[in-house]
Amino acid sequence: MVVIDQERCIGCEACKEDCPGRAIKMEEGKAVYYRSCIQCGHCVAVCPVAAVSIPEYDMEDVEEYQKESFTLEPEKFLHAVKFRRSIRNFKDQKFEAEVVERILNAGRYSATAKNLQGSTFVFVQERLEEFKALVWKEMPGVIESLQEKTPEYAKVFHAFYRWWQKDPANDNFFFNTPAFLVIATDNPWDGGLAAANIENMAVAEGAGVLYSGYTMRMISASPTLREWLGIGDKSVSCCMLMGYPAVTYKRTAPRKEADIIWR
């Protein structure tokens, strides 16, 4: 439900013109919400007099636009993207709760299809050792199931398992990460968009991540792991190891020339 304060409304029609669902009309010079919509919040964001609200959301969390804090310099952003590295060497340092909240808020505010906001973020830190032990316990069964469907992956996981059996301290699967994040959603695009913003925010907090397709496959193939994580029937769209890097990179890494088609 979208609420429009008729006393505040100045009849500028900004909300009506910007509404993608055409859920707002004008009556007697005032904006009126007259049919259900996806509650994308454009009407709240565009109103010049803060006359629009969505009561079921946290309106206290809405921020006013300030040009000086919104400006993102293109050169600095590209510089940050170029310096992005996959981290496989983490410090033995946990995240503070307020830091995690800021990082995950970057995912919460990411775009979602039809504004469903249906992603679940499972941040594992305090019980990480318990989760890792369960992963190794589940791995033989996962290897067996992969042997039938994707034998090439079964070989890879079998190698991981043998290395772990020989030396559990040589952690080449979790890389001694202090935290682990799972993003589960019914729409994989939503999870991908959230993951990108979460990583950028983590880097802004001085941390780094490693996307882990192996753990995605493990969790997807193990009902026990899914139950432990509490993600229900949602698909696993992203898994990432998270922590503060124990390595410092001095420069960006080279890349191939861009494959761009100009029309």
PDB file of all heavy atoms in Angstrom, residues 120-135:
ATOM      1  N   THR A 120      17.681 -14.109   0.213  1.00  0.00           N
ATOM      2  CA  THR A 120      18.036 -14.424   1.598  1.00  0.00           C
ATOM      3  C   THR A 120      19.549 -14.423   1.711  1.00  0.00           C
ATOM      4  O   THR A 120      20.244 -15.047   0.909  1.00  0.00           O
ATOM      5  CB  THR A 120      17.492 -15.815   1.995  1.00  0.00           C
ATOM      6  OG1 THR A 120      16.067 -15.794   1.949  1.00  0.00           O
ATOM      7  CG2 THR A 120      17.945 -16.184   3.405  1.00  0.00           C
ATOM      8  N   PHE A 121      20.073 -13.701   2.702  1.00  0.00           N
ATOM      9  CA  PHE A 121      21.511 -13.609   2.915  1.00  0.00           C
ATOM     10  C   PHE A 121      21.859 -14.368   4.200  1.00  0.00           C
ATOM     11  O   PHE A 121      21.385 -14.011   5.274  1.00  0.00           O
ATOM     12  CB  PHE A 121      21.945 -12.145   3.045  1.00  0.00           C
ATOM     13  CG  PHE A 121      21.508 -11.287   1.879  1.00  0.00           C
ATOM     14  CD1 PHE A 121      20.391 -10.475   1.982  1.00  0.00           C
ATOM     15  CD2 PHE A 121      22.215 -11.289   0.692  1.00  0.00           C
ATOM     16  CE1 PHE A 121      19.978  -9.688   0.918  1.00  0.00           C
ATOM     17  CE2 PHE A 121      21.822 -10.508  -0.380  1.00  0.00           C
ATOM     18  CZ  PHE A 121      20.696  -9.708  -0.274  1.00  0.00           C
ATOM     19  N   VAL A 122      22.663 -15.409   4.060  1.00  0.00           N
ATOM     20  CA  VAL A 122      23.081 -16.201   5.224  1.00  0.00           C
ATOM     21  C   VAL A 122      24.554 -15.907   5.479  1.00  0.00           C
ATOM     22  O   VAL A 122      25.429 -16.330   4.711  1.00  0.00           O
ATOM     23  CB  VAL A 122      22.867 -17.709   4.992  1.00  0.00           C
ATOM     24  CG1 VAL A 122      23.189 -18.483   6.267  1.00  0.00           C
ATOM     25  CG2 VAL A 122      21.438 -17.989   4.528  1.00  0.00           C
ATOM     26  N   PHE A 123      24.826 -15.200   6.553  1.00  0.00           N
ATOM     27  CA  PHE A 123      26.200 -14.829   6.904  1.00  0.00           C
ATOM     28  C   PHE A 123      26.688 -15.758   8.008  1.00  0.00           C
ATOM     29  O   PHE A 123      26.144 -15.762   9.121  1.00  0.00           O
ATOM     30  CB  PHE A 123      26.260 -13.371   7.364  1.00  0.00           C
ATOM     31  CG  PHE A 123      27.649 -12.874   7.631  1.00  0.00           C
ATOM     32  CD1 PHE A 123      28.479 -12.500   6.593  1.00  0.00           C
ATOM     33  CD2 PHE A 123      28.133 -12.793   8.926  1.00  0.00           C
ATOM     34  CE1 PHE A 123      29.767 -12.039   6.824  1.00  0.00           C
ATOM     35  CE2 PHE A 123      29.419 -12.340   9.181  1.00  0.00           C
ATOM     36  CZ  PHE A 123      30.227 -11.963   8.122  1.00  0.00           C
ATOM     37  N   VAL A 124      27.685 -16.553   7.699  1.00  0.00           N
ATOM     38  CA  VAL A 124      28.199 -17.560   8.633  1.00  0.00           C
ATOM     39  C   VAL A 124      29.554 -17.106   9.150  1.00  0.00           C
ATOM     40  O   VAL A 124      30.526 -17.020   8.395  1.00  0.00           O
ATOM     41  CB  VAL A 124      28.334 -18.934   7.948  1.00  0.00           C
ATOM     42  CG1 VAL A 124      28.781 -19.984   8.966  1.00  0.00           C
ATOM     43  CG2 VAL A 124      27.023 -19.349   7.291  1.00  0.00           C
ATOM     44  N   GLN A 125      29.629 -16.845  10.438  1.00  0.00           N
ATOM     45  CA  GLN A 125      30.901 -16.446  11.043  1.00  0.00           C
ATOM     46  C   GLN A 125      31.099 -17.150  12.388  1.00  0.00           C
ATOM     47  O   GLN A 125      32.082 -17.876  12.564  1.00  0.00           O
ATOM     48  CB  GLN A 125      30.979 -14.933  11.231  1.00  0.00           C
ATOM     49  CG  GLN A 125      32.285 -14.458  11.856  1.00  0.00           C
ATOM     50  CD  GLN A 125      32.450 -12.950  11.825  1.00  0.00           C
ATOM     51  OE1 GLN A 125      33.186 -12.406  10.995  1.00  0.00           O
ATOM     52  NE2 GLN A 125      31.775 -12.250  12.729  1.00  0.00           N
ATOM     53  N   GLU A 126      30.180 -16.973  13.314  1.00  0.00           N
ATOM     54  CA  GLU A 126      30.337 -17.555  14.647  1.00  0.00           C
ATOM     55  C   GLU A 126      30.292 -19.083  14.605  1.00  0.00           C
ATOM     56  O   GLU A 126      30.958 -19.754  15.389  1.00  0.00           O
ATOM     57  CB  GLU A 126      29.246 -17.024  15.578  1.00  0.00           C
ATOM     58  CG  GLU A 126      29.307 -15.520  15.810  1.00  0.00           C
ATOM     59  CD  GLU A 126      30.654 -15.059  16.312  1.00  0.00           C
ATOM     60  OE1 GLU A 126      31.247 -15.757  17.165  1.00  0.00           O
ATOM     61  OE2 GLU A 126      31.127 -14.000  15.842  1.00  0.00           O
ATOM     62  N   ARG A 127      29.536 -19.651  13.677  1.00  0.00           N
ATOM     63  CA  ARG A 127      29.392 -21.113  13.584  1.00  0.00           C
ATOM     64  C   ARG A 127      30.087 -21.650  12.330  1.00  0.00           C
ATOM     65  O   ARG A 127      29.711 -22.710  11.811  1.00  0.00           O
ATOM     66  CB  ARG A 127      27.916 -21.492  13.592  1.00  0.00           C
ATOM     67  CG  ARG A 127      27.195 -21.108  14.882  1.00  0.00           C
ATOM     68  CD  ARG A 127      25.697 -21.381  14.773  1.00  0.00           C
ATOM     69  NE  ARG A 127      25.410 -22.806  14.582  1.00  0.00           N
ATOM     70  CZ  ARG A 127      24.180 -23.283  14.335  1.00  0.00           C
ATOM     71  NH1 ARG A 127      23.156 -22.460  14.245  1.00  0.00           N
ATOM     72  NH2 ARG A 127      24.001 -24.582  14.159  1.00  0.00           N
ATOM     73  N   LEU A 128      31.099 -20.936  11.857  1.00  0.00           N
ATOM     74  CA  LEU A 128      31.762 -21.327  10.619  1.00  0.00           C
ATOM     75  C   LEU A 128      32.429 -22.695  10.727  1.00  0.00           C
ATOM     76  O   LEU A 128      32.353 -23.507   9.804  1.00  0.00           O
ATOM     77  CB  LEU A 128      32.802 -20.273  10.226  1.00  0.00           C
ATOM     78  CG  LEU A 128      33.575 -20.563   8.931  1.00  0.00           C
ATOM     79  CD1 LEU A 128      32.620 -20.684   7.750  1.00  0.00           C
ATOM     80  CD2 LEU A 128      34.607 -19.462   8.669  1.00  0.00           C
ATOM     81  N   GLU A 129      33.082 -22.983  11.854  1.00  0.00           N
ATOM     82  CA  GLU A 129      33.761 -24.276  12.008  1.00  0.00           C
ATOM     83  C   GLU A 129      32.754 -25.424  11.971  1.00  0.00           C
ATOM     84  O   GLU A 129      33.032 -26.489  11.420  1.00  0.00           O
ATOM     85  CB  GLU A 129      34.576 -24.297  13.298  1.00  0.00           C
ATOM     86  CG  GLU A 129      35.761 -23.345  13.293  1.00  0.00           C
ATOM     87  CD  GLU A 129      36.686 -23.583  12.092  1.00  0.00           C
ATOM     88  OE1 GLU A 129      36.998 -24.763  11.816  1.00  0.00           O
ATOM     89  OE2 GLU A 129      37.073 -22.601  11.445  1.00  0.00           O
ATOM     90  N   GLU A 130      31.598 -25.195  12.548  1.00  0.00           N
ATOM     91  CA  GLU A 130      30.533 -26.206  12.511  1.00  0.00           C
ATOM     92  C   GLU A 130      30.075 -26.441  11.070  1.00  0.00           C
ATOM     93  O   GLU A 130      29.875 -27.585  10.650  1.00  0.00           O
ATOM     94  CB  GLU A 130      29.358 -25.737  13.370  1.00  0.00           C
ATOM     95  CG  GLU A 130      28.172 -26.675  13.372  1.00  0.00           C
ATOM     96  CD  GLU A 130      26.981 -26.098  14.134  1.00  0.00           C
ATOM     97  OE1 GLU A 130      27.187 -25.175  14.955  1.00  0.00           O
ATOM     98  OE2 GLU A 130      25.851 -26.573  13.900  1.00  0.00           O
ATOM     99  N   PHE A 131      29.939 -25.358  10.322  1.00  0.00           N
ATOM    100  CA  PHE A 131      29.511 -25.478   8.924  1.00  0.00           C
ATOM    101  C   PHE A 131      30.567 -26.195   8.093  1.00  0.00           C
ATOM    102  O   PHE A 131      30.242 -27.085   7.299  1.00  0.00           O
ATOM    103  CB  PHE A 131      29.243 -24.085   8.347  1.00  0.00           C
ATOM    104  CG  PHE A 131      28.927 -24.085   6.871  1.00  0.00           C
ATOM    105  CD1 PHE A 131      27.712 -24.557   6.408  1.00  0.00           C
ATOM    106  CD2 PHE A 131      29.860 -23.618   5.954  1.00  0.00           C
ATOM    107  CE1 PHE A 131      27.416 -24.575   5.049  1.00  0.00           C
ATOM    108  CE2 PHE A 131      29.576 -23.621   4.595  1.00  0.00           C
ATOM    109  CZ  PHE A 131      28.352 -24.100   4.138  1.00  0.00           C
ATOM    110  N   LYS A 132      31.823 -25.840   8.283  1.00  0.00           N
ATOM    111  CA  LYS A 132      32.901 -26.479   7.522  1.00  0.00           C
ATOM    112  C   LYS A 132      32.974 -27.981   7.821  1.00  0.00           C
ATOM    113  O   LYS A 132      33.157 -28.799   6.907  1.00  0.00           O
ATOM    114  CB  LYS A 132      34.236 -25.797   7.844  1.00  0.00           C
ATOM    115  CG  LYS A 132      34.355 -24.400   7.248  1.00  0.00           C
ATOM    116  CD  LYS A 132      35.492 -23.602   7.854  1.00  0.00           C
ATOM    117  CE  LYS A 132      36.838 -24.179   7.542  1.00  0.00           C
ATOM    118  NZ  LYS A 132      37.936 -23.302   8.043  1.00  0.00           N
ATOM    119  N   ALA A 133      32.818 -28.353   9.076  1.00  0.00           N
ATOM    120  CA  ALA A 133      32.840 -29.773   9.438  1.00  0.00           C
ATOM    121  C   ALA A 133      31.697 -30.526   8.753  1.00  0.00           C
ATOM    122  O   ALA A 133      31.870 -31.668   8.292  1.00  0.00           O
ATOM    123  CB  ALA A 133      32.731 -29.919  10.958  1.00  0.00           C
ATOM    124  N   LEU A 134      30.544 -29.868   8.654  1.00  0.00           N
ATOM    125  CA  LEU A 134      29.401 -30.488   7.997  1.00  0.00           C
ATOM    126  C   LEU A 134      29.640 -30.634   6.490  1.00  0.00           C
ATOM    127  O   LEU A 134      29.223 -31.630   5.882  1.00  0.00           O
ATOM    128  CB  LEU A 134      28.138 -29.667   8.256  1.00  0.00           C
ATOM    129  CG  LEU A 134      26.811 -30.289   7.809  1.00  0.00           C
ATOM    130  CD1 LEU A 134      26.588 -31.633   8.487  1.00  0.00           C
ATOM    131  CD2 LEU A 134      25.650 -29.340   8.111  1.00  0.00           C
ATOM    132  N   VAL A 135      30.317 -29.657   5.899  1.00  0.00           N
ATOM    133  CA  VAL A 135      30.650 -29.738   4.470  1.00  0.00           C
ATOM    134  C   VAL A 135      31.507 -30.969   4.197  1.00  0.00           C
ATOM    135  O   VAL A 135      31.246 -31.735   3.259  1.00  0.00           O
ATOM    136  CB  VAL A 135      31.382 -28.458   4.001  1.00  0.00           C
ATOM    137  CG1 VAL A 135      32.025 -28.672   2.624  1.00  0.00           C
ATOM    138  CG2 VAL A 135      30.412 -27.288   3.945  1.00  0.00           C
TER     139      VAL A 135
END
